[in-house]
Amino acid sequence: MKKMASKKEIIDYINENLQNYQGYVQFSHRKIEKKKDIFPDGDVHVEDEAGFIYEAHFYNMDKKESIQIRQINDSWIVSTTTLDEKEFDITEEEFITDIQEFPYKVKMAQLWKAEPDELCEGMMVKKLKKVVFAGFVKGGKNYA
């Protein structure tokens, strides 16, 4: 987990380190704009503007790496999760967005881990540990 303290620092981090990642950014002062904020092909470039990045999610299929960026108080927290099937049981779900004429679905991965559960006589029970962005999938619904 990394912590960054300025808006410029987080924008530079995204533009310099997240090329070839699918993803999106959500600014604080406006709705997500398909052409400016969503990067389904991995060509990532975020412009500095009036608001700040409230949150962002990116995924690299080759590295199986999901990156979550969240603004918390006066800083940004960057959390990296490797979708490693050795450590977790992973399930994926696809969701249609409400973005006009967006030809992709959003894919989210759920990471589960078996643990003894005292409420089940100590038996192993899968528990949800994290839900992360896992890229885009062709097949979104076009809205009128």
Side-chain angles (χ1 to χ4, degrees):
M1 190 170 302
K2 298 177 188 172
K3 182 177 177 182
M4 298 187 190
S6 74
K7 180 170 92 169
K8 180 183 179 341
E9 196 176 8
I10 199 66
I11 290 173
D12 288 347
Y13 170 80
I14 291 169
N15 289 334
E16 293 169 10
N17 298 291
L18 301 181
Q19 292 303 313
N20 301 315
Y21 281 71
Q22 293 183 331
Y24 67 94
V25 296
Q26 171 66 65
F27 276 88
S28 61
H29 65 293
R30 61 176 173 76
K31 291 182 177 184
I32 292 176
E33 293 179 23
K34 182 173 63 174
K35 293 180 181 178
K36 289 174 68 172
D37 303 325
I38 302 175
F39 314 102
D41 59 2
D43 184 19
V44 178
H45 182 73
V46 176
E47 297 287 331
D48 192 359
E49 56 183 84
F52 57 88
I53 293 175
Y54 176 67
E55 72 174 19
H57 296 271
F58 291 90
Y59 180 71
N60 183 297
M61 187 178 294
D62 295 332
K63 295 180 182 179
K64 294 189 180 228
E65 181 176 76
S66 182
I67 296 179
Q68 176 187 56
I69 300 168
R70 291 204 179 235
Q71 190 273 333
I72 300 174
N73 296 330
D74 64 345
S75 302
W76 285 265
I77 303 298
V78 179
S79 175
T80 302
T81 302
T82 301
L83 300 183
D84 184 355
E85 294 182 27
K86 295 173 191 154
E87 184 177 351
F88 299 103
D89 289 327
I90 299 172
T91 59
E92 294 178 343
E93 295 286 333
E94 298 172 3
F95 300 93
I96 295 172
T97 72
D98 63 352
I99 297 170
Q100 295 286 324
E101 298 180 21
F102 188 60
Y104 299 94
K105 294 179 186 176
V106 173
K107 184 165 53 167
M108 301 297 287
Q110 299 171 333
L111 286 69
W112 300 85
K113 191 168 191 170
E115 298 177 344
D117 188 327
E118 65 182 53
L119 299 175
C120 293
E121 300 289 326
M123 292 187 305
M124 299 299 279
V125 174
K126 286 185 184 179
K127 299 198 177 194
L128 182 64
K129 294 299 174 183
K130 201 175 212 184
V131 177
V132 297
F133 177 74
F136 296 110
V137 178
K138 288 269 187 190
K141 184 176 180 181
N142 288 328
Y143 289 84

